[in-house]
Amino acid sequence: MSAWAAQRRLQSDGHRHAVSIALHQGCQNQPQTDGLSDVTFVSTTPARATDWWRGAIIYQIYPRSFADSNGDGIGDLPGIIEHLPYVARLGVDAIWISPFFRSPMKDFGYDIADYRDVDPMFGTLADFDRLVQRAHELGLKVMIDQVLSHTSDQHPWFVESRRSRDNPRADWYVWADPKPDGTPPNNWLSVFGGSAWQWDPRRRQYYLHNFLASQPDLNFHHPAVQQQVLEDIRFWLERGVDGFRFDACNFHFHDRHLRDNPPATQRDTKTVMETNPYGMQRHLYDKTQPENLVFLQRVRALLDEYGAASVGEVGDDDSLKTMAAYTADGDKLHMAYSFNLLTSERSAAYIRQQVEELEAQMKDGWACWSFGNHDVARVMTRWGGPGASTDFIKVAGAMLMSLRGSVCWWQGDELALTEADIPFEKLQDPYGKAFWPEFKGRDGCRTPMPWSSTRPHGGFSGDATVEPWLPVPPEHLARAVDLSEADPASPLQALRRFMAWRKAQPALIGGDIRFFDAPEPVLALARTPAADQPGDAVLALFNLGSEPVSFELPQAPASVALDDHGFAGAHRQAQRFTLPAYGAYFGKMV
């Protein structure tokens, strides 16, 4: 064990002792409400200084598209290091780096061929170590993607597994005989289209792939597989990472009996688009199996050795229920997020419904909310709509950061970047190619960060003559970092100010939440500090629409207006509020 890891483990031991004391003390007090609402969701786990992830803002970095340091048109780890001060100035707490491991890049890094090495296109292990060191110097935690449910078909484990039915890793993947008529063993579907089973002529069996055929699923029923992936997690903990984002974390296990999935009684349109038949099944047997809860407990025990945190991606028929189960009891995931706010639905009523439904089920767990990432269209386009003012991202961002939970923030959303329209001939995403033209894939949100409004390709590359792996839309240059830095009214500057103010509001970091009835498109909520927290309760109102709104809010508590954070024109007279287009109101509750 490294000296650094030993220090982390000692800190973790102290953390567990503090947890024991806090839980003992917490049992002596019953949860209380303040009488301001009929429905109040009260946190049962007291916040602790070591729980940095509670209420944290986690900035997602997509390495291919962040910054290219060596002029090959693809972003890399040295490029991330160079721009980490920009991320730190934004005011976030941590970075989440999408996969940078060795990979054939059939799914751009989410098909891993070596869990313990950096792909040469991104740099070296030494570059990663420098990245962790620099991030920590800037006060940023480092979380990395771990894609455990499947590997690349070029991973040495799979290469060995497919050779025969009796080699040492023969059962490391999910293999099954065909039906008597030669068809796949059951009706399971791939998220990326078609059957989830691929015929292999070497073994004369099918193997399971929940995503691309080049991404075979590991067999987590095999104890050696579980032990191996735990050791691979430990490898990065020893290198100093502060946590992990676990990709497709409810896909680890499958039904041993390979039973058919029944038809869906209500089609899933949150996890997949309507044109994808995947949503036509009720996914009872191909994922979210009970054995996964025990495995996640093993993962948590390992993370606790190092004081590290986790956030899991949940894509399920009932994602909120799974999120609650996967974060329950403090012995599985620290946080979880789903696709429920990554949809085209953006009404205030819908957002409120998602939060309230989760809070009703999540007694002691913790959510991580996100309205943008590398898998969905940019929120400025998806929620804001054509021609939306950049003021939209200001109010939407402040709203997201005011919900109870942590936040995953997608790179470039602070610049109010819109979804890029990528022509088919430049499309890279296999998902988009399979469903074109009804679905254009995920490339439109993955275009390179525009650092400069005047340099070729937005200053993304160290070599101005090199064309990036995806084109930089001309409209993004007008919102480049250099222009946003120079404009006090830019979304970048507004969100910086809001994040700085939010850090000083314990209620917004770890407090309880309640909602009030308000007309569309207004979301009205109150955050109150947990019982063991200091600070003021905050009333927050958000107009997510492009027109001013005046309304009565008789159930709202008395409040004194706080800093307007650039949301000019909000006004209150008694119980009547007036919010301008994309406006917000923050009040100290008295």
Side-chain angles (χ1 to χ4, degrees):
M1 182 188 301
S2 67
W4 182 92
Q7 182 181 7
R8 280 276 292 270
R9 187 168 295 184
L10 286 172
Q11 293 171 343
S12 178
D13 290 341
H15 164 71
R16 287 195 295 269
H17 178 64
V19 171
S20 176
I21 293 174
L23 290 175
H24 174 74
Q25 293 174 342
C27 292
Q28 301 175 17
N29 299 292
Q30 295 297 320
Q32 297 178 351
T33 65
D34 53 16
L36 296 176
S37 172
D38 291 334
V39 180
T40 301
F41 299 109
V42 180
S43 58
T44 58
T45 303
R48 298 179 294 274
T50 52
D51 288 347
W52 64 265
W53 47 272
R54 285 187 183 273
I57 300 173
I58 304 165
Y59 188 92
Q60 183 189 356
I61 294 176
Y62 196 68
R64 295 181 71 92
S65 298
F66 199 63
D68 168 25
S69 71
N70 60 3
D72 64 358
I74 298 173
D76 46 46
L77 298 185
I80 295 174
I81 296 171
E82 178 184 352
H83 290 284
L84 278 179
Y86 162 83
V87 179
R89 287 196 303 273
L90 185 59
V92 303
D93 302 284
I95 57 173
W96 147 27
I97 310 174
S98 289
F100 51 84
F101 315 103
R102 282 190 180 269
S103 167
M105 300 294 164
K106 298 289 183 64
D107 192 22
F108 300 102
Y110 284 89
D111 49 328
I112 295 173
D114 187 341
Y115 283 100
R116 299 194 183 195
D117 201 5
V118 175
D119 194 281
M121 75 166 54
F122 296 130
T124 65
L125 278 171
D127 290 327
F128 179 79
D129 292 340
R130 290 194 301 114
L131 189 158
V132 172
Q133 180 180 356
R134 182 61 177 138
H136 288 167
E137 290 171 353
L138 292 167
L140 295 169
K141 305 289 186 180
V142 178
M143 305 184 77
I144 65 173
D145 241 315
Q146 284 287 282
V147 187
L148 303 181
S149 71
H150 55 267
T151 71
S152 164
D153 61 357
Q154 297 182 31
H155 197 294
W157 302 342
F158 187 72
V159 171
E160 182 177 1
S161 184
R162 75 189 319 178
R163 283 180 185 155
S164 67
R165 299 189 185 191
D166 58 0
N167 67 77
R169 291 193 173 91
D171 297 327
W172 276 41
Y173 292 81
V174 184
W175 295 95
D177 293 327
K179 290 181 178 179
D181 63 357
T183 56
N186 60 29
N187 69 347
W188 296 353
L189 296 174
S190 163
V191 175
F192 287 170
S195 173
W197 296 96
Q198 179 68 28
W199 177 254
D200 186 82
R202 300 166 186 80
R203 290 184 49 146
R204 298 183 183 181
Q205 287 181 305
Y206 285 94
Y207 66 82
L208 178 67
H209 62 92
N210 278 298
F211 297 93
L212 294 176
S214 57
Q215 295 171 302
D217 276 66
L218 285 163
N219 177 19
F220 273 79
H221 290 291
H222 197 308
V225 170
Q226 292 190 37
Q227 189 59 39
Q228 180 63 57
V229 297
L230 289 172
E231 289 306 313
D232 289 337
I233 292 172
R234 186 185 297 276
F235 174 85
W236 295 101
L237 289 167
E238 289 285 332
R239 299 199 88 89
V241 302
D242 302 289
F244 299 88
R245 179 263 188 185
F246 290 115
D247 181 74
C249 71
N250 57 313
F251 282 79
H252 298 147
F253 287 82
H254 64 284
D255 174 51
R256 288 180 181 269
H257 303 291
L258 302 182
R259 286 170 284 189
D260 281 347
N261 283 328
T265 55
Q266 183 174 354
R267 186 178 181 125
D268 174 18
T269 58
K270 296 183 178 68
T271 305
V272 294
M273 64 218 171
E274 293 185 7
T275 55
N276 190 340
Y278 186 84
M280 298 173 69
Q281 288 187 357
R282 186 179 174 199
H283 294 276
L284 285 182
Y285 300 116
D286 53 347
K287 59 183 179 181
T288 322
Q289 299 303 291
E291 296 94 331
N292 201 31
L293 294 171
V294 179
F295 172 69
L296 292 177
Q297 288 174 328
R298 296 189 66 191
V299 172
R300 179 61 176 265
L302 173 59
L303 298 182
D304 284 349
E305 288 184 37
Y306 295 83
S310 59
V311 56
E313 177 199 43
V314 173
D316 204 7
D317 296 347
D318 188 347
S319 294
L320 300 180
K321 178 180 178 181
T322 304
M323 287 170 64
Y326 280 20
T327 59
D329 304 321
D331 63 351
K332 293 175 280 292
L333 296 175
H334 295 77
M335 304 170 279
Y337 79 90
S338 68
F339 290 78
N340 290 45
L341 294 188
L342 297 171
T343 66
S344 58
E345 177 60 65
R346 54 147 285 185
S347 69
Y350 175 78
I351 296 169
R352 174 180 176 176
Q353 176 192 18
Q354 298 307 305
V355 177
E356 287 188 328
E357 286 187 6
L358 179 62
E359 289 287 339
Q361 301 178 75
M362 186 176 280
K363 303 304 181 185
D364 56 357
W366 195 252
C368 189
W369 297 106
S370 177
F371 56 35
N373 68 15
H374 64 291
D375 282 330
V376 297
R378 287 274 182 188
V379 71
M380 270 297 296
T381 300
R382 180 168 37 87
W383 277 13
S389 165
T390 57
D391 287 338
F392 170 75
I393 198 64
K394 299 178 187 178
V395 70
M399 178 277 297
L400 185 71
M401 298 175 201
S402 297
L403 301 178
R404 182 173 182 263
S406 302
V407 171
C408 281
W409 187 266
W410 173 231
Q411 67 179 41
D413 277 349
E414 70 277 8
L415 305 176
L417 298 184
T418 53
E419 180 77 354
D421 187 12
I422 308 297
F424 182 79
E425 61 272 17
K426 292 192 175 182
L427 205 67
Q428 304 290 328
D429 184 15
Y431 197 7
K433 292 178 181 179
F435 285 91
W436 180 276
E438 283 72 19
F439 174 62
K440 297 184 178 181
R442 302 164 293 180
D443 290 339
C445 70
R446 297 176 175 182
T447 55
M449 278 282 287
W451 297 102
S452 169
S453 58
T454 57
R455 293 178 59 196
H457 308 298
F460 169 70
S461 178
D463 185 343
T465 66
V466 173
E467 185 173 343
W469 76 287
L470 282 174
V472 177
E475 61 270 21
H476 284 191
L477 299 180
R479 300 177 183 180
V481 170
D482 61 345
L483 294 180
S484 297
E485 292 272 15
D487 180 7
S490 70
L492 172 64
Q493 299 285 30
L495 289 165
R496 277 180 180 168
R497 290 192 295 270
F498 182 80
M499 290 186 204
W501 175 76
R502 178 181 179 272
K503 287 181 183 292
Q505 304 298 321
L508 294 183
I509 302 298
D512 307 321
I513 190 169
R514 70 190 58 79
F515 292 88
F516 305 107
D517 294 335
E520 286 288 350
V522 174
L523 185 70
L525 60 90
R527 299 293 307 277
T528 53
D532 63 339
Q533 286 182 322
D536 300 315
V538 176
L539 174 68
L541 313 176
F542 305 96
N543 178 9
L544 302 177
S546 58
E547 299 293 334
V549 181
S550 292
F551 56 97
E552 297 282 342
L553 202 63
Q555 72 271 40
S559 65
V560 176
L562 295 167
D563 190 329
D564 62 14
H565 310 289
F567 298 109
H571 176 69
R572 175 176 188 169
Q573 185 174 9
Q575 297 301 101
R576 186 165 188 82
F577 293 84
T578 299
L579 299 179
Y582 304 128
Y585 169 89
F586 298 93
K588 172 184 174 181
M589 287 160 48
V590 295

